Amino acid sequence: MRPSDQLAQFVRDALIADKSRDQIAQALEQAGWAQNEVSDALATWVDAKFQPPIPRPRPQLSAREAFFYALLFGALAFTAWHITSLLFQAIDVLIPKAGDEFRNWEREMMRFSISSLIVSTPLFLWLHSRAKRAIAKAPGKRRSMVRKWVGYITMFFAACTLLGDLVFVIFRFLEGDLTLQIALKSGVLAVVAGSIFAYFRAEIGGDDNDA
Amino acid sequence: MMRDAARDAFLPAVLAGLAIVAVVAGLVVVGGPGRGKAEQRDAERISNLRDASRLVVCLARQNDMVIPEELLAQAACGPLDVLQDPFSGSAIQFEKLGDRLYLLCTELELASDYEDDKTFAGGRLRTDSGCIRYEYHP
């Protein structure tokens, strides 16, 4: 039996033996369990007088959810990537650097990004509204492990992008090479990565705070 | 409740707005399907110039390794069809500049897309005239 299972089993037995939650917490802390481990173990069981103790619903992993959220976040990543790529190239053309030429392969890349956005943006918006409707109908879906993991991974990449962007701007500034082109590109990257980060922070972080 | 609704709509609204701006900016920069078709036609014309250049080399080999003054059909080199613009049907201009130099000229719709005086289709393109200058190395 894993330590977390032992702990959950102990809490259950203690609740059946009519010990109060404070008594259980005190006993566990004296035994060396960390405060968060104790509160997590107590939170496993509903705080009610009913016997035997009622377990709280636990996050579950379903293949259907994994497919849905992988598609949702894939569409988001694809959309964010192509928005950034397209706007970068548009900036290069509208504010060219001396000696820069617009080549045919760049034109082809832009056409590919336009095509990708025409598909991935509506797909993301549709999946997003579907996810929202599903959560509104069954709030328990907020506990989806896949949703949390993919959300945190997305936040990690968004945070890395924001930090990298900031480092790059400071570096170019110190090099004396912070041109309008670079400033605009950094701005685009900051808006895309920043809005994704802010959204998931409110969305997933809010769930964790609620728990 | 209102705050939640605003939060839920925030990312989709930002992404949809940026995607629309990016697509419009992209279309302004690269042009629509009409321009794409013109690019395809120019690519075909350039490919045709390569074939025309091969024909000139073949005819030169049949002419004691000297570029001929005029391009006349030879059985060993195939028909002269390649000396025609595949779309307008107008003739590709040939001009002998010397024993080892010749010009092939065609009309590119988007000549400004190409770099001037750079190696191109096996020769050097002059975007002002649409001519490619070839060197013949027997």
Side-chain angles (χ1 to χ4, degrees):
Chain A
M1 194 185 274
R2 289 182 305 174
S4 58
D5 294 339
Q6 283 179 327
L7 189 57
Q9 186 63 42
F10 169 80
V11 172
R12 184 177 186 276
D13 293 345
L15 288 169
I16 290 171
D18 213 19
K19 301 287 180 197
S20 76
R21 286 180 170 253
D22 288 342
Q23 284 175 314
I24 298 169
Q26 202 178 359
L28 286 170
E29 279 172 24
Q30 276 174 0
W33 291 93
Q35 208 172 5
N36 64 317
E37 289 172 317
V38 173
S39 54
D40 282 353
L42 284 167
T44 308
W45 307 99
V46 175
D47 193 1
K49 285 287 170 201
F50 191 88
Q51 286 294 348
I54 309 160
R56 282 189 199 280
R58 293 177 71 116
Q60 291 187 350
L61 190 66
S62 90
R64 191 189 153 109
E65 268 184 356
F67 165 76
F68 179 81
Y69 282 108
L71 197 60
L72 175 77
F73 290 102
L76 172 63
F78 212 61
T79 303
W81 176 271
H82 285 292
I83 285 175
T84 311
S85 162
L86 203 47
L87 289 177
F88 272 25
Q89 278 160 327
I91 290 168
D92 280 342
V93 172
L94 298 172
I95 309 165
K97 231 169 46 177
D100 267 7
E101 284 193 39
F102 188 48
R103 297 177 197 285
N104 280 336
W105 64 265
E106 290 173 294
R107 201 180 289 279
E108 280 169 20
M109 268 180 66
M110 286 184 82
R111 286 199 180 113
F112 181 70
S113 289
I114 292 171
S115 314
S116 303
L117 281 181
I118 289 171
V119 174
S120 65
T121 312
L123 175 67
F124 166 71
L125 295 176
W126 177 67
L127 291 170
H128 169 82
S129 68
R130 224 183 114 109
K132 282 285 151 199
R133 278 201 308 273
I135 287 172
K137 223 163 129 185
K141 291 195 172 173
R142 279 188 174 279
R143 285 189 295 272
S144 162
M145 284 300 281
V146 184
R147 181 172 168 272
K148 280 195 179 179
W149 268 98
V150 183
Y152 273 113
I153 289 169
T154 309
M155 272 170 66
F156 170 74
F157 282 115
C160 289
T161 306
L162 278 171
L163 292 172
D165 192 33
L166 186 62
V167 169
F168 182 70
V169 168
I170 294 170
F171 171 71
R172 295 308 284 256
F173 173 70
L174 293 174
E175 289 268 298
D177 192 24
L178 186 57
T179 59
L180 180 61
Q181 195 190 53
I182 290 171
L184 283 174
K185 284 183 180 180
S186 301
V188 165
L189 203 55
V191 169
V192 173
S195 54
I196 291 174
F197 183 85
Y199 172 78
F200 282 109
R201 188 164 175 267
E203 191 71 10
I204 313 281
D207 293 351
D208 282 352
N209 292 339
D210 294 345
Chain B
M1 202 71 176
M2 282 288 284
R3 212 169 143 245
D4 281 355
R7 191 190 70 186
D8 290 349
F10 170 69
L11 177 72
V14 170
L15 279 188
L18 281 174
I20 291 167
V21 169
V23 167
V24 170
L27 283 174
V28 168
V29 171
V30 300
R35 183 176 164 109
K37 279 184 185 165
E39 287 170 22
Q40 299 292 329
R41 284 195 294 270
D42 275 357
E44 180 105 23
R45 286 186 178 104
I46 287 156
S47 165
N48 200 47
L49 274 185
R50 276 202 189 92
D51 293 341
S53 166
R54 279 189 208 110
L55 176 75
V56 174
V57 169
C58 177
L59 292 174
R61 282 182 187 145
Q62 304 294 313
N63 191 39
D64 297 329
M65 303 298 178
V66 174
I67 297 167
E69 298 294 331
E70 198 181 348
L71 302 182
L72 298 170
Q74 292 263 358
C77 299
L80 299 182
D81 296 357
V82 290
L83 294 170
Q84 256 187 0
D85 184 290
F87 301 99
S88 67
S90 60
I92 287 177
Q93 301 298 316
F94 165 77
E95 190 183 341
K96 181 178 175 179
L97 299 175
D99 287 347
R100 299 274 181 268
L101 283 177
Y102 60 96
L103 279 181
L104 287 172
C105 305
T106 190
E107 274 187 30
L108 295 173
E109 289 173 63
L110 303 166
S112 58
D113 275 11
Y114 301 96
E115 266 186 280
D116 193 36
D117 203 31
K118 292 276 172 169
T119 302
F120 192 76
R124 289 181 91 82
L125 174 74
R126 297 303 306 264
T127 52
D128 53 351
S129 59
C131 293
I132 300 185
R133 195 181 70 155
Y134 288 95
E135 276 184 50
Y136 170 54
H137 302 285

